[in-house]
Amino acid sequence: MSREDIAMGELSDRDHAFYGLVWAGTTLTTRVDQALTRAHDLPLSWFEVMLWLNAQTAPVAPSSLGARTLLSRSQVSRVLDALQARGLIERVPSVTDARSVGIALTAEGRKAFAEADATRRQALAEAFDDRLEGSDIDALNAVWAKLKATAPPRSR
């Protein structure tokens, strides 16, 4: 079966911009997920959790990860279990609440994150970094800030 190009019809500038964002997000996410999985057996959802953990100086509550990532609470829990099974994170007792735990990257987790982050950057270079000027990045950041500032809270 041959592939045919199909048209979406007339789109307003706003519709075109919206579907452009959806396309870009899906395309870049797929590219990064495939690269991370292929090179490190590390799905993008795992990398996202590690990205947040790498920036922390102290262990964080799992609920904080759920609030910051694009993952549901149950997804965060499954990702944390998988990362812990691979020795990339540790659960440590909370210093403020004996009933709670904090999550932190292990030394091996920090090393794995650094390697995976290099892969992520390489995967994005051709499709994103090499195509955009600094002013493009500034414009995207301004749009993102506006959209985030008016976004309703996520339901889980």
Side-chain angles (χ1 to χ4, degrees):
M1 174 182 273
S2 67
R3 181 173 166 215
E4 296 179 33
D5 287 332
I6 61 172
M8 289 186 75
E10 294 296 320
L11 291 179
S12 71
D13 286 345
R14 288 183 180 276
D15 287 342
H16 191 266
F18 169 75
Y19 286 109
L21 284 173
V22 171
W23 173 86
T26 301
T27 301
L28 296 173
T29 297
T30 299
R31 177 183 284 258
V32 171
D33 185 58
Q34 289 173 348
L36 290 172
T37 301
R38 193 176 321 114
H40 307 282
D41 193 26
L42 189 74
L44 182 57
S45 58
W46 296 16
F47 178 83
E48 183 184 5
V49 169
M50 293 174 74
L51 176 72
W52 283 99
L53 290 173
N54 188 63
Q56 308 312 307
T57 57
V60 297
S63 59
S64 295
L65 292 169
R68 294 288 185 235
T69 65
L70 299 175
L71 306 173
S72 68
R73 287 183 191 159
S74 62
Q75 287 172 312
V76 168
S77 180
R78 286 191 298 272
V79 167
L80 292 176
D81 288 344
L83 290 171
Q84 185 174 21
R86 286 190 39 186
L88 302 177
I89 63 146
E90 60 185 346
R91 289 177 163 101
V92 295
S94 170
V95 294
T96 59
D97 182 353
R99 299 167 295 166
S100 300
V101 297
I103 309 297
L105 286 176
T106 62
E108 182 65 26
R110 290 198 182 276
K111 179 181 178 223
F113 172 79
E115 292 169 358
D117 194 39
T119 298
R120 176 192 65 88
R121 291 174 189 278
Q122 183 179 8
L124 288 175
E126 180 186 342
F128 187 79
D129 296 327
D130 295 349
R131 296 178 185 208
L132 301 176
E133 303 293 329
S135 59
D136 297 325
I137 299 299
D138 291 344
L140 286 172
N141 282 326
V143 168
W144 179 71
K146 286 180 183 180
L147 293 175
K148 188 175 179 186
T150 60
R154 292 189 303 151
S155 61
R156 300 216 181 221

